[in-house]
Amino acid sequence: RRAVPVDAMPEEAQEEDERIALLREALGCLPQRQRTMVVLYYMEGYDVHDTARMMGTTKSAVCAGLSRARKALRQWIEEDEA
């Protein structure tokens, strides 16, 4: 096990909380369909096939939606950091 100094933990926890809050805000800016794809695939752990089945669409549509969502999230976060 790795020893972590106790005084370093609150700062790291705060940074993690800030990243999570930023991601939640960015997710909220996505169109509903893309947000659902991101949640099912990345947060709930469903594969592309299952995500497509649950959403009543094709695997290629899910892949394209996830790609668009990643691009939008990346741009949103980069703008926020600028």
Side-chain angles (χ1 to χ4, degrees):
R1 287 183 93 162
R2 186 177 74 136
V4 177
V6 175
D7 58 346
M9 290 176 57
E11 183 177 306
E12 290 175 10
Q14 181 179 359
E15 289 174 8
E16 182 69 17
D17 289 346
E18 289 172 4
R19 284 192 297 264
I20 290 171
L22 179 63
L23 182 57
R24 285 181 192 263
E25 189 175 348
L27 282 171
C29 294
L30 289 176
Q32 179 64 44
R33 190 164 176 83
Q34 287 180 6
R35 185 170 47 246
T36 300
M37 289 176 183
V38 168
V39 169
L40 289 174
Y41 184 77
Y42 289 107
M43 297 176 173
E44 298 295 327
Y46 290 102
D47 63 19
V48 174
H49 175 75
D50 289 336
T51 301
R53 184 180 47 77
M54 285 186 277
M55 295 186 70
T57 191
T58 64
K59 292 191 311 184
S60 60
V62 171
C63 289
L66 289 171
S67 178
R68 282 191 223 90
R70 284 189 301 268
K71 181 179 179 182
L73 290 171
R74 193 170 23 255
Q75 288 175 341
W76 195 93
I77 290 170
E78 286 172 359
E79 288 174 9
D80 186 72
E81 290 176 346

